[in-house]
Amino acid sequence: MNRKATALDVAKLAGVSRSAVSLVLNGRGDGNVALESQQRIREAAATLNYTPNKIALSLRNRQSRIIGIVSDQVVTSPFDGNIIAGADAVAREHGFVTVVMDTELDGSRDEGAVETLLDRQVDGLMYVTVGLRPLHVPANMERVPSILANCFDDRPEAGVGAVIPDEVRGGREAAEHVMSLGHRDIAFLAGDSLTPAAPRRIQGYRDAFLRAGLPVNEARVLQVGWDIDAGFHGAMKLLDGAEAGRRPTAILCANDRLAIGVVLACYRLGLSVPQDISVMGYDDEFRVAKSMVPALSTMALPLREMGAAAMTALLGDVTHHRTHVAEGSETDGAPGGSGTETMVPCRLVVRESTGPVPEGR
Amino acid sequence: MNRKATALDVAKLAGVSRSAVSLVLNGRGDGNVALESQQRIREAAATLNYTPNKIALSLRNRQSRIIGIVSDQVVTSPFDGNIIAGADAVAREHGFVTVVMDTELDGSRDEGAVETLLDRQVDGLMYVTVGLRPLHVPANMERVPSILANCFDDRPEAGVGAVIPDEVRGGREAAEHVMSLGHRDIAFLAGDSLTPAAPRRIQGYRDAFLRAGLPVNEARVLQVGWDIDAGFHGAMKLLDGAEAGRRPTAILCANDRLAIGVVLACYRLGLSVPQDISVMGYDDEFRVAKSMVPALSTMALPLREMGAAAMTALLGDVTHHRTHVAEGSETDGAPGGSGTETMVPCRLVVRESTGPVPEGR
DNA sequence: TTGAAAGCGTTACCAC
DNA sequence: GTGGTAACGCTTTCAA
């Protein structure tokens, strides 16, 4: 590996000083360096294929242009990777790079991950989780501008800003979608309450009934889990043995996997989707919802948008933080959108698993 | 943010020179620094909460201890994230950090991603893909030690080393599993041939018949796609309308999603799995295979192992490379395991979707 | 208009 | 056994 060209190499080749090179290549040549020299410098840089050493730059500028992302299991699980993709895209646009550390769901690794990142002099920190949940924010995280994506500070005063999906509204709009198709006996299959996603989506479901002036039948709400088998057994409980007139005409699921389970159960019982029963998912999971048979109507989580919004806010803070520190006017705590909680709406996706309510129901 | 303590701060507090601090904190104090001073230095470092600035270290050592990972869509897709997790775990063990750039399947971004990473002075590069495939290795990738994970150099001479799953053997062992249950009329549902995964798994399937001295019925091999609907329609073609005696007794799928589609089709046709028909997946997809109804027998991809193996090889190269360069004895090309292709075996996972062949078949 | 020098935080070498 | 100094590659200030 032939060592990369340095600014000095360029200066030599162009027959000028290092400073001139720096000036010109940073756009501050005009008025400082002779036009002829500028030309020669640019040429030299081009032929030597020169790009400044980011490490030296970081040291000099006391800014690494690295954003640290710690996640609970975004890397290892198949979910929510698009939060990071959205965040990374924004970072890249601004000349930042992200380094992500996945704790693989081991909370005791949080502090260590943040420490490692801090040691690397990251300019900002983002915590991303799989599934909405309260987060015990690692203490050392607040030493640089920080933000939370898909999770929120579990302390009441909410020290760190957060970007989360509007799950209540998502649940409500899902229910309203099937209501608009004439359904009234609507079941809701949710995961456990270990994460707030389920309760919030259920809350939205209730809101829809309230708004419609309809009573909520609590027996129709089943908290069963998050996986295919849970959906299957939940649906069996709802449908097996019930006469056609007494079973729900629509089943709303808190994620697409549950919906798979529900459809599986329907088929097993000889029921058609959506003719006999409408089924809805949640998440619009990549290469699942769209390719199911039938293709799943679902509520898409705004993952990319959340990541992008979080990164945009964070980068704003990073910049402010820097100028503040430069001015010596410490903001003292409260970075990262300063405790603001931003809600991003979900997006209804109508496909083929939901249809008009059967005749007579 | 109160600026972090530097070695100078520690030296001052301990009343010694910076060099002494450096020596002691790097374990080379004994025989160089008075024991009493060593003690004071350690204390000072502790009270100041001193950790060396990695950026300065990188500049000084001309080694960033960062490994760049570029991926086609590992971040954005739900698959294969465990390759990166496995790689990252090994990197972390060795004091390295990984930064991954996802090109989101846009091949034209490859060179740029590598460039960005190179600018950041990464010590090594890894390319990771979703699904086995030949890779047109970005030219600038070979400027530092490099390795491929789940992909292989598309040039015949294979310049860059690679770690890939043994798909042929995986396909063979899948077939042998159902054969051991007495099945003889076995169908294989594969994705398209755009990636070599399908052909290789099919090859393995054929090998199993060959080894068993059985003829291969080519009409039983269907290349339909990779998603749920493809599995559904493929299975329909195989099963719908066929008398019980003329349909395959087992369907092997090239991934778990296809298997979901197959099970869906079976249920729709009133067939039981595995009583009437055995179904096998491939990948052991997280939170899919295990929770399907019935739980899917499948062939697990050795994702973590592949990532770990690739990173181990790469790190070895990084170290050699360094010493070589230091000695001025350029290896000149051929880094990254020097074109070696390492195969990692898949792992058979038997669950409930495969069972003994039905009576009379 | 140009170039010299200081400084970012380390470590390693070399006098003392 | 100790501490000063140079060097890593860059930017920026200041003097010529």
Side-chain angles (χ1 to χ4, degrees):
Chain A
M1 157 171 110
N2 14 350
R3 235 175 80 271
K4 262 192 63 178
T6 77
L8 184 56
D9 298 326
V10 177
K12 274 188 195 151
L13 182 58
V16 298
S17 76
R18 285 216 297 273
S19 358
V21 174
S22 174
L23 250 11
V24 172
L25 264 29
N26 288 312
R28 234 154 334 130
D30 288 356
N32 286 315
V33 179
L35 269 136
E36 195 217 358
S37 305
Q38 294 198 31
Q39 186 57 20
R40 258 180 305 134
I41 289 173
R42 277 185 231 285
E43 278 168 13
T47 61
L48 288 175
N49 220 300
Y50 169 78
T51 56
N53 181 320
K54 299 272 191 205
I55 303 253
L57 259 173
S58 297
L59 186 58
R60 167 72 227 216
N61 298 341
R62 286 117 148 281
Q63 202 210 16
S64 61
R65 293 192 91 80
I66 297 181
I67 297 295
I69 298 184
V70 6
S71 93
D72 57 354
Q73 55 166 344
V74 174
V75 174
T76 31
S77 91
F79 313 106
D80 299 1
N82 276 313
I83 299 180
I84 289 182
D88 192 64
V90 170
R92 231 182 33 241
E93 265 170 37
H94 295 260
F96 282 75
V97 131
T98 58
V99 6
V100 4
M101 310 218 65
D102 192 302
T103 66
E104 307 199 28
L105 228 42
D106 178 354
S108 71
R109 279 175 54 190
D110 277 1
E111 301 258 345
V114 171
E115 198 60 40
T116 303
L117 260 9
L118 249 18
D119 270 359
R120 293 270 174 180
Q121 317 293 121
V122 294
D123 296 332
L125 245 14
M126 180 182 299
Y127 202 119
V128 183
T129 56
V130 167
L132 178 67
R133 69 177 180 86
L135 179 75
H136 181 68
V137 179
N140 47 4
M141 193 161 167
E142 306 193 34
R143 297 178 37 142
V144 293
S146 298
I147 198 153
L148 275 24
N150 212 21
C151 48
F152 50 90
D153 200 323
D154 68 355
R155 294 162 303 180
E157 345 79 67
V160 182
V163 176
I164 58 175
D166 192 341
E167 305 277 19
V168 177
R169 181 167 154 195
R172 196 190 77 222
E173 294 184 349
E176 288 173 344
H177 164 59
V178 289
M179 281 178 171
S180 78
L181 291 167
H183 296 269
R184 290 296 175 269
D185 190 349
I186 305 164
F188 198 103
L189 236 49
D192 52 64
S193 291
L194 289 177
T195 92
R200 289 189 187 196
R201 291 172 191 181
I202 293 173
Q203 179 59 46
Y205 162 87
R206 290 207 184 90
D207 287 356
F209 280 89
L210 254 43
R211 288 197 179 198
L214 262 26
V216 179
N217 181 351
E218 292 294 342
R220 288 302 194 214
V221 178
L222 262 47
Q223 284 193 244
V224 289
W226 294 103
D227 291 318
I228 298 177
D229 48 358
F232 181 86
H233 295 118
M236 278 300 188
K237 201 172 300 180
L238 250 15
L239 306 173
D240 195 15
E243 317 149 35
R246 305 195 67 104
R247 54 179 190 235
T249 61
I251 301 183
L252 268 26
C253 302
N255 74 16
D256 292 335
R257 282 149 201 260
L258 287 168
I260 293 178
V262 170
V263 173
L264 241 14
C266 290
Y267 286 4
R268 182 102 122 200
L269 296 173
L271 263 23
S272 292
V273 178
Q275 291 74 11
D276 296 318
I277 189 157
S278 283
V279 177
M280 223 184 132
Y282 205 114
D283 289 357
D284 194 21
E285 209 187 310
F286 184 59
R287 310 229 355 228
V288 167
K290 199 170 168 183
S291 74
M292 249 304 272
V293 185
L296 248 34
S297 294
T298 190
M299 188 60 66
L301 242 19
L303 300 173
R304 269 198 108 82
E305 294 90 321
M306 283 165 54
M311 185 56 81
T312 303
L314 178 56
L315 255 27
D317 259 32
V318 166
T319 313
H320 280 134
H321 192 76
R322 268 184 65 70
T323 52
H324 274 168
V325 168
E327 291 164 7
S329 75
E330 278 284 5
T331 35
D332 214 68
S338 308
T340 324
E341 203 167 80
T342 307
M343 293 251 201
V344 186
C346 299
R347 203 172 43 248
L348 175 69
V349 180
V350 179
R351 296 207 180 88
E352 298 154 20
S353 64
T354 48
V357 66
E359 299 280 333
R361 286 301 305 273
Chain B
M1 157 169 111
N2 14 350
R3 233 174 82 270
K4 264 191 60 178
T6 78
L8 185 56
D9 298 326
V10 176
K12 274 187 195 151
L13 182 58
V16 298
S17 74
R18 286 215 298 272
S19 354
V21 174
S22 173
L23 250 10
V24 171
L25 264 29
N26 289 312
R28 240 160 324 135
D30 288 356
N32 286 316
V33 180
L35 269 133
E36 196 215 359
S37 306
Q38 294 198 32
Q39 185 57 19
R40 259 181 302 135
I41 289 173
R42 276 186 231 286
E43 278 168 13
T47 61
L48 257 40
N49 220 299
Y50 168 78
T51 55
N53 180 321
K54 298 272 191 206
I55 304 252
L57 257 173
S58 297
L59 185 58
R60 170 68 232 224
N61 297 342
R62 288 118 148 280
Q63 201 209 18
S64 62
R65 293 192 91 79
I66 296 181
I67 297 294
I69 298 184
V70 7
S71 93
D72 57 354
Q73 55 166 346
V74 175
V75 174
T76 32
S77 91
F79 312 105
D80 299 1
N82 275 313
I83 298 180
I84 289 182
D88 193 63
V90 170
R92 231 181 35 241
E93 264 170 37
H94 294 261
F96 283 75
V97 133
T98 57
V99 7
V100 3
M101 309 218 65
D102 192 303
T103 66
E104 306 198 28
L105 229 40
D106 178 354
S108 72
R109 278 176 55 190
D110 276 1
E111 300 259 345
V114 171
E115 198 60 41
T116 303
L117 259 8
L118 248 19
D119 271 358
R120 293 269 175 182
Q121 317 292 123
V122 294
D123 296 332
L125 245 14
M126 180 183 298
Y127 202 118
V128 183
T129 56
V130 167
L132 178 66
R133 69 177 180 87
L135 179 75
H136 181 68
V137 178
N140 47 4
M141 192 160 167
E142 307 193 34
R143 297 179 36 142
V144 293
S146 298
I147 198 152
L148 275 24
N150 211 21
C151 47
F152 51 90
D153 200 324
D154 67 355
R155 293 162 303 179
E157 344 79 68
V160 181
V163 176
I164 59 175
D166 193 341
E167 304 278 19
V168 177
R169 182 168 154 196
R172 197 190 76 221
E173 293 183 350
E176 288 173 344
H177 164 59
V178 290
M179 281 177 172
S180 78
L181 291 168
H183 296 270
R184 290 297 174 269
D185 190 349
I186 305 165
F188 198 102
L189 236 50
D192 52 65
S193 290
L194 290 177
T195 91
R200 289 188 186 197
R201 291 173 191 181
I202 293 172
Q203 180 58 46
Y205 162 88
R206 291 206 184 90
D207 287 356
F209 280 89
L210 253 43
R211 287 196 180 200
L214 262 25
V216 179
N217 181 351
E218 292 295 342
R220 288 303 194 214
V221 178
L222 264 46
Q223 285 193 244
V224 289
W226 293 104
D227 291 318
I228 298 177
D229 48 358
F232 181 87
H233 295 118
M236 278 299 189
K237 200 172 300 180
L238 249 15
L239 306 172
D240 196 14
E243 316 150 33
R246 306 193 68 101
R247 55 179 189 236
T249 62
I251 302 184
L252 268 25
C253 302
N255 75 14
D256 292 334
R257 284 152 199 258
L258 287 168
I260 292 179
V262 170
V263 173
L264 242 14
C266 290
Y267 285 4
R268 182 101 122 200
L269 297 172
L271 264 21
S272 292
V273 179
Q275 290 75 11
D276 297 317
I277 189 156
S278 282
V279 177
M280 222 184 133
Y282 204 115
D283 290 356
D284 194 22
E285 209 187 311
F286 184 60
R287 304 208 28 207
V288 167
K290 201 171 167 181
S291 75
M292 250 302 272
V293 184
L296 249 34
S297 293
T298 190
M299 189 59 66
L301 242 19
L303 301 173
R304 271 197 106 84
E305 295 89 321
M306 284 166 54
M311 185 56 82
T312 303
L314 178 57
L315 256 26
D317 259 31
V318 166
T319 313
H320 280 135
H321 192 76
R322 268 184 64 71
T323 52
H324 274 166
V325 169
E327 291 164 5
S329 74
E330 279 283 3
T331 34
D332 215 68
S338 309
T340 324
E341 204 166 79
T342 307
M343 293 250 201
V344 187
C346 300
R347 204 173 41 248
L348 175 69
V349 180
V350 179
R351 295 207 180 87
E352 298 154 20
S353 64
T354 48
V357 67
E359 298 282 330
R361 288 299 307 274

